[in-house]
Amino acid sequence: MSEPIVQAVVVDQQKVTAQVERLKQQKLQEQRKEQARQEELERKARQAKQAREREQERIRKLEAERKQQELETRRAAAAAKAAKQKAAAAEAERKRKEAEKAAAEEAARKAEKKRKAEEAAAKKVAEERKRREQAEKKRKAEEKARREQQRMMEEAMAAEQAALASRRNQQVVSEVARYTAMIKATIQRNLVVNEAMRGKSCQVYIRLAKDGFVMATRVLSGDATVCRAAETAIARTGRLPVSPEADVYQQLKEINLTVQPEFN
């Protein structure tokens, strides 16, 4: 019963071996074809390279021939130009000599005319110089008078400005004092006092906005009870009197006040 099985295995092995051999032969043929294809491509590439090199050599020769022809053409043109220039120079020399002769004659005529004109011009220049000197003398006198008048006007304006500034400073000092008194009075109206505070005081720093709003307060020195009462009064007030005038406000926006309770 085992003999047919053995025989089947042998037959199958032979088929496998034959199949492997066919595959090897097929791969070998493909490799040979690929090698032949690569060799053909390399041959064609060499041929193309050789053709390019031959074409480049032909182009170089043509370019050299063109440059040589161009050089010869330029040389011929230069020679023709030189000959033409030589002829033109000879003609120009002849005309120059003729022109020099005519110019010499014309120069002699003009020299005489110029001499007469210069004499007349010199006389005119002398008259003009005299006129300018007189005009300059007059201008300097007028300029001096103008400067003196300008100086006097500036001094008068400066004096007036100083007087205005002095009056304004006096006004500002007066307004600062008036508003300081108003601020103190406003704080006094809101100050809650008692007998323990009699004869005592507190110095406080106040910073005000343009509309009088109290932006900050700080105790500088003084009795603690009076200082607490002063801070409370300022906080209760909230807004203090300020001047609408900028220069007065500048001196009131940060002030140090001495708060001293008043008793009836």
Side-chain angles (χ1 to χ4, degrees), residues 32 54 61 73 102 155-156 166 214 219 221 242 248:
R32 289 172 179 171
R54 287 194 297 272
K61 287 180 179 179
T73 301
E155 288 180 354
S166 177
V214 178
V219 171
S221 63
V242 290
V248 178

Side-chain angles (χ1 to χ4, degrees), residues 159-174 247:
E160 184 178 356
Q161 290 294 329
L164 289 173
S166 177
R167 286 197 297 272
R168 181 56 186 164
N169 287 336
Q170 292 175 2
Q171 292 173 354
V172 169
V173 170
S174 176
D247 49 358

Side-chain angles (χ1 to χ4, degrees), residues 2 12 15 28 46 56 64 86 149 160 166 182 206 214 250:
S2 61
D12 289 342
K15 288 181 180 180
L28 182 60
R46 286 194 300 273
Q56 289 173 355
K86 185 176 181 181
Q149 185 179 10
E160 184 178 356
S166 177
M182 291 169 63
I206 304 174
V214 178
Q250 284 298 318

Side-chain angles (χ1 to χ4, degrees), residues 77-94:
K81 183 179 180 181
K84 185 176 180 181
Q85 289 175 342
K86 185 176 181 181
E91 178 64 15
E93 180 65 15
R94 183 187 65 78

Side-chain angles (χ1 to χ4, degrees), residues 81-212:
K81 183 179 180 181
K84 185 176 180 181
Q85 289 175 342
K86 185 176 181 181
E91 178 64 15
E93 180 65 15
R94 183 187 65 78
K95 291 181 178 180
R96 185 186 65 79
K97 290 180 178 179
E98 290 180 355
E100 284 180 353
K101 181 180 178 182
E105 294 173 353
E106 180 66 15
R109 185 184 63 79
K110 287 183 177 180
E112 178 62 18
K113 185 178 179 180
K114 181 180 179 184
R115 184 186 63 78
K116 293 180 180 179
E118 286 176 348
E119 289 178 355
K123 183 179 179 181
K124 186 176 180 180
V125 166
E127 293 174 352
E128 179 64 20
R129 183 183 300 113
K130 184 178 179 180
R131 186 191 65 78
R132 285 201 302 269
E133 287 174 354
Q134 291 174 346
E136 180 65 13
K137 185 177 180 181
K138 181 181 178 182
R139 185 193 66 78
K140 287 182 178 179
E142 291 175 349
E143 178 65 18
K144 183 178 180 181
R146 187 192 64 77
R147 285 199 300 270
E148 180 63 18
Q149 185 179 10
Q150 180 68 21
R151 183 186 64 78
M152 292 173 64
M153 288 176 61
E154 289 175 354
E155 288 180 354
M157 289 177 65
E160 184 178 356
Q161 290 294 329
L164 289 173
S166 177
R167 286 197 297 272
R168 181 56 186 164
N169 287 336
Q170 292 175 2
Q171 292 173 354
V172 169
V173 170
S174 176
E175 284 294 286
V176 168
R178 186 166 73 89
Y179 274 93
T180 301
M182 291 169 63
I183 291 171
K184 285 184 176 182
T186 302
I187 295 173
Q188 284 290 342
R189 285 197 299 272
N190 290 278
L191 187 68
V192 178
V193 301
N194 58 57
E195 280 299 323
M197 298 163 60
R198 185 180 293 276
K200 298 176 182 178
S201 64
C202 177
Q203 189 176 30
V204 294
Y205 160 84
I206 304 174
R207 182 156 57 91
L208 300 173
K210 289 184 178 181
D211 61 353

